[in-house]
């Protein structure tokens, strides 16, 4: 599409760069609409070839733009991120395009500046100048997402230039997002004082820099550490901190997280460390997302969460190895209203354990269960061996549960018995939705559709009419007022 309109633009140009009458007769609004489909590279290439009228229509909206975003789709008009695009020539084209736009940009202000491409410290001089431009123009949002080729490239990450921010005017940055960088805060660095959102993905950051961030960024409301290295402890304390959203996802070096915050509403801990020490002081968050390998202190962790007054939403992402089981005895979660359980297993999914969780959550209103096998898992009749455990389950009568969703449903008898048990033991259930696929939360704001056996997480990729009919037939035998939806 982009090349089509680019060709359309140039086929109407005269030898002197003047447009012919046919297209020149189009009103400005239509021409502007056509030009809006051009890539940044096409626009930059056209700067010396168009008529004064076209220059105004093409260039002025871009060269005074408040939000500048440079990535593969915007620069090259390609909708997919492909490693092949990172070759040397494409990188030079990308750099040339960005430099030209910044050179011609004559707006007094830039609100946001975003770059996403394959860069590392070899491009430090260029990247520093781009950041200088953004800060000088008063950017409040700065996204630098630099993809890497391999694990070995961590030693080649771009160093975020804190020194540069110190040299320039007081920073207006409110939102900083870094990928594939090193972040080291020098002593007395104060240019992040206006930050409200900080997102770090594949970033190398040490304990001292994290401590300085949290002590100096008193306006910070959201902090995400996703797949970061270096820091072994995170101490988030202080009545003056405004932090209400904290995510620590797969930070394998992280051994200790201490939290004591007045305004924390949402906490996400998807642990990459098997023995992370997690301490949370009241007041407690209303929402917690927690991921763990099952046999590492799960009972203690769930007991800890059950004691949290005000905890209303709990998401559990549990990797089940060999014959792991959920705890069979748990204290009562007195405030929990929504429970989401993702069981990632290689041999057995402990659905009976989920029923035990239901016993421990008498005030629950919504339940979402996803049973997912990790690529390489084997399936046989092992599910059938556990049907009796579901059938014998007793002591569960739920009076408040209203909505249940079962995702990645494979129509095994074990899963069907699980669904039947819920229907039989809930008195106010309004709807049960059964989905052979679905969508799961991976952490740090990322969701992934369950696509079938070729994906990382797999469901029943061969869900057929007979499976649908079997589930419908079995569930129809249960006396219930709930509406049952089988997708």
């Amino acid at each position: 599409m982009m090349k089509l309109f680019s060709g359309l633009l140039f086929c109407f140009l005269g030898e002197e760069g003047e447009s012919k009458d046919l297209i020149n007769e189009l009103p400005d609004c239509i021409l502007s609409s056509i030009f809006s489909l051009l890539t940044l590279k096409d626009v930059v290439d056209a700067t010396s070839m168009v008529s004064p009228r076209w220059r105004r229509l093409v260039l002025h909206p871009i060269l005074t733009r408040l939000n500048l975003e440079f990535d593969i789709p915007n620069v090259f008009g390609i909708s997919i991120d492909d490693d092949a695009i990172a070759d040397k020539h494409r990188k030079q084209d990308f750099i040339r395009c960005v430099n030209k736009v910044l050179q011609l940009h004559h707006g007094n202000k830039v609100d946001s500046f975003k770059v996403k491409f394959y860069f590392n410290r070899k491009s430090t001089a260029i990247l520093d100048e781009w950041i200088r431009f953004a800060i000088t123009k008063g950017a409040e949002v700065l996204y630098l997402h630099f993809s890497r080729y391999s694990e070995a490239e961590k030693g080649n990450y771009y160093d975020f230039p804190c020194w540069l921010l110190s040299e320039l005017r007081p920073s207006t940055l409110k939102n900083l997002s870094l990928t594939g960088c090193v972040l080291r805060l020098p002593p007395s660095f104060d240019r992040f004082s206006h930050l409200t959102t900080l997102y770090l993905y594949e970033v190398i950051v040490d304990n001292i820099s994290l401590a300085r961030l949290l002590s100096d960024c008193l306006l910070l409301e959201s902090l995400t550490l996703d797949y970061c290295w270096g820091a072994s402890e995170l101490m988030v304390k202080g009545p003056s901190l405004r932090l209400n959203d904290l995510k620590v996802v797969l930070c394998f070096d992280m051994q200790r997280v201490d939290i004591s915050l007045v305004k924390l509403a949402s906490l996400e801990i998807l642990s990459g460390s098997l023995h992370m020490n997690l301490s949370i002081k009241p007041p407690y968050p209303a929402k917690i997302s927690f991921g763990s390998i099952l046999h590492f202190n799960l009972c203690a962790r769930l007991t800890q969460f059950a004691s949290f007054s005000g905890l209303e939403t709990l998401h559990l992402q549990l990797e089940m190895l060999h014959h792991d089981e959920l705890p069979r005895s748990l204290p009562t979660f007195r405030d929990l209203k929504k429970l989401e359980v993702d069981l990632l297993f290689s041999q057995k999914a402990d659905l009976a354990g989920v029923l035990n969780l239901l016993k421990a959550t008498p005030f629950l209103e919504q339940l979402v269960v996803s049973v997912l096998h990790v690529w390489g898992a084997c399936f046989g009749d092992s599910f059938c061996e556990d049907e009796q455990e579901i059938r014998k389950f007793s002591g569960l009568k739920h009076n408040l549960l209203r909505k249940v969703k079962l995702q990645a449903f494979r129509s095994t008898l074990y899963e069907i018995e699980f669904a039947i048990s819920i229907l039989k033991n809930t008195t106010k259930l309004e709807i049960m939705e059964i989905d052979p696929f679905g969508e799961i939360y991976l952490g740090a704001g990322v969701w992934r559709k369950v696509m079938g056996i070729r994906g990382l997480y797999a469901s029943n990729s061969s869900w057929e009419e007979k499976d649908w009919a079997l589930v419908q037939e079995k569930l129809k035998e249960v006396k219930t007022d709930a509406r049952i939806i089988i997708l």
Side-chain angles (χ1 to χ4, degrees), residues 404-421:
V404 173
K405 183 172 185 180
L406 306 179
Q407 298 192 123
F409 202 83
R410 301 185 64 250
S411 71
T412 64
L413 294 179
Y414 183 41
E415 291 168 297
I416 292 173
E417 286 296 333
F418 174 71
I420 290 173
S421 180

Side-chain angles (χ1 to χ4, degrees), residues 313-328:
T313 300
L314 178 62
H315 170 228
L316 298 174
Q317 186 182 98
L318 306 174
E319 185 175 343
M320 308 183 72
L321 304 177
H322 306 299
H323 296 287
D324 288 337
E325 291 184 342
L326 286 160
R328 290 304 189 256

Side-chain angles (χ1 to χ4, degrees), residues 98-166:
V98 176
N99 284 340
K100 190 67 174 180
V101 170
L102 301 191
Q103 176 190 344
L104 296 174
H105 192 278
H106 52 268
N108 295 322
K109 179 78 167 65
V110 168
D111 288 338
S112 67
F113 187 87
K114 302 180 181 182
V115 179
K116 181 180 179 181
F117 199 69
Y118 300 84
F119 286 118
N120 55 31
R121 68 173 59 215
K122 295 178 181 178
S123 303
T124 292
I126 295 166
L127 298 175
D128 286 354
E129 286 307 306
W130 293 355
I131 294 173
R132 182 187 298 275
F133 169 90
I135 299 302
T136 302
K137 292 282 188 177
E140 297 183 0
V141 177
L142 181 62
Y143 281 25
L144 303 174
H145 290 191
F146 303 145
S147 302
R148 60 189 173 95
Y149 303 106
S150 66
E151 189 77 13
E153 281 229 8
K154 282 195 296 185
N156 227 3
Y157 277 6
Y158 169 70
D159 272 290
F160 183 82
C162 292
W163 62 269
L164 180 58
L165 272 66
S166 298

